[in-house]
Amino acid sequence: LFRSCITGSLFHAQLKCCEALDVLNLDGHKEASDVLEEARHSLGKVQDKTATNFKLTKGLYFYIEGEIYCKTKDFKKALQSLHECLNYIEELPEAHIQLARCYNAMGNCYYNGPKDYTKALEFYSKALKKIEEISGSSEYHYELPVFKNQIGTVCEGQGNYSKAVEYYKEAIGLLEELKISDSPEEANFQRNLANAYMQQDKFKEAVEPAERAYEIRKKHLGDHPDTVRSIFQRGVIQAFLKGPKKALELFKKAWEMEKIGRASCRERV
């Protein structure tokens, strides 16, 4: 009975960790922290803290704690939690996807916080390598396109635009192979690809991905801030292609979408 109680505590902690992550994405960091506190309480009841399942669950706990801190933009605390996650799971062969996601979260912290592109690239690359290892065939894991896109953003941040283009194209190609194209993710990748071309003054090459991003966003999001950004991007491209009439039409269209109150994002655009 005592042993089953301890096993139950570990199972309860696992469930609450997973629930906390769902709550974080749906309801916000405060609610997620409340749920994660229940997981911490259950972990405290487990006696055998050397068992692999305990280490995996403890690592999961710190990973989600790190994601919560990321959400609040407290990147210093987020990295502390994520390093704690690594302390528990990095040497465990059973960690698999959890380790890749921890690396990826650390990359996000370095990219979005101190803008340390070197460290961000280090951890994004580790995440990508781990995903390739565990997916068997590296072309067919649904998180692979996301990780490749993130490496592309780091290359773009470093000014290596041609390399960024390579990663964005690979990410888009993988979406097609996985049959998950025509999605908001593809719109983000296509917009990034257009930006990378624009940074190299390759405005003709930027037209197609910018149009594709707009079409997807209009279809899935309607009049939304991201749709406005795509219209604005298309306008900028036309302006540099010496198409002032078309550029003006697009800028007016973006302005009208904002003005009606369905996409109030003028400052962000």
Side-chain angles (χ1 to χ4, degrees):
L1 180 61
F2 177 74
R3 184 174 180 179
S4 65
C5 177
I6 296 304
T7 304
S9 294
L10 189 57
F11 181 63
H12 182 262
Q14 292 170 345
L15 288 178
K16 285 299 174 180
C17 284
C18 294
E19 182 184 343
L21 189 58
D22 289 337
V23 170
L24 177 65
N25 294 327
L26 295 173
D27 300 319
H29 63 90
K30 291 183 179 178
E31 293 81 358
S33 295
D34 291 339
V35 177
L36 194 63
E37 176 62 21
E38 295 184 52
R40 187 191 67 78
H41 182 70
S42 292
L43 283 168
K45 295 180 180 179
V46 179
Q47 297 298 311
D48 185 2
K49 293 178 169 52
T50 63
T52 297
N53 282 341
F54 174 81
K55 292 178 180 178
L56 287 169
T57 307
K58 192 73 172 180
L60 180 61
Y61 169 88
F62 280 116
Y63 163 69
I64 295 167
E65 184 179 69
E67 289 284 23
I68 290 173
Y69 282 130
C70 279
K71 202 81 167 182
T72 64
K73 301 189 184 302
D74 191 339
F75 298 110
K76 183 177 180 180
K77 285 186 177 180
L79 285 169
Q80 289 174 352
S81 295
L82 294 168
H83 276 293
E84 283 294 329
C85 173
L86 292 185
N87 288 339
Y88 279 97
I89 71 170
E90 197 163 27
E91 301 304 321
L92 297 177
E94 299 88 350
H96 298 321
I97 190 67
Q98 187 176 331
L99 182 56
R101 289 170 179 165
C102 184
Y103 287 146
N104 188 64
M106 295 176 79
N108 288 338
C109 286
Y110 284 113
Y111 181 82
N112 295 311
K115 301 295 182 184
D116 186 337
Y117 296 130
T118 301
K119 294 294 287 185
L121 184 59
E122 174 189 340
F123 284 102
Y124 283 153
S125 298
K126 283 185 175 182
L128 179 62
K129 181 179 179 181
K130 180 57 65 174
I131 284 290
E132 289 175 341
E133 288 175 0
I134 65 180
S135 63
S137 176
S138 63
E139 293 85 7
Y140 299 104
H141 195 287
Y142 75 97
E143 291 189 57
L144 197 55
V146 175
F147 290 176
K148 283 185 177 286
N149 175 72
Q150 288 174 325
I151 292 177
T153 63
V154 174
C155 292
E156 191 172 347
Q158 292 176 321
N160 192 346
Y161 302 116
S162 59
K163 196 68 177 176
V165 165
E166 290 180 22
Y167 276 105
Y168 293 146
K169 284 185 173 181
E170 287 178 17
I172 292 165
L174 282 167
L175 289 178
E176 293 175 0
E177 292 179 24
L178 292 164
K179 302 186 187 304
I180 51 175
S181 55
D182 193 34
S183 60
E185 287 75 18
E186 185 192 348
N188 291 337
F189 300 172
Q190 294 282 10
R191 184 175 187 270
N192 289 345
L193 176 58
N195 280 339
Y197 278 132
M198 292 166 69
Q199 292 287 354
Q200 300 174 84
D201 294 333
K202 296 181 178 180
F203 296 101
K204 287 184 179 180
E205 289 90 336
V207 170
E208 183 177 345
E211 291 283 351
R212 176 64 177 161
Y214 166 72
E215 289 169 5
I216 295 172
R217 286 175 167 176
K218 184 63 177 174
K219 175 181 176 181
H220 290 284
L221 303 176
D223 295 342
H224 183 275
D226 285 343
T227 309
V228 175
R229 293 186 189 93
S230 281
I231 298 171
F232 184 84
Q233 182 186 53
R234 291 166 62 216
V236 172
I237 292 169
Q238 289 301 320
F240 277 99
L241 287 174
K242 302 187 185 304
K245 184 177 179 180
K246 181 64 175 176
L248 185 58
E249 289 176 3
L250 290 166
F251 291 144
K252 285 182 176 179
K253 186 175 181 180
W255 172 253
E256 288 298 321
M257 191 177 289
E258 290 179 321
K259 196 166 63 173
I260 61 176
R262 286 183 252 174
S264 57
C265 62
R266 180 174 58 210
E267 292 182 2
R268 294 176 68 184
V269 173

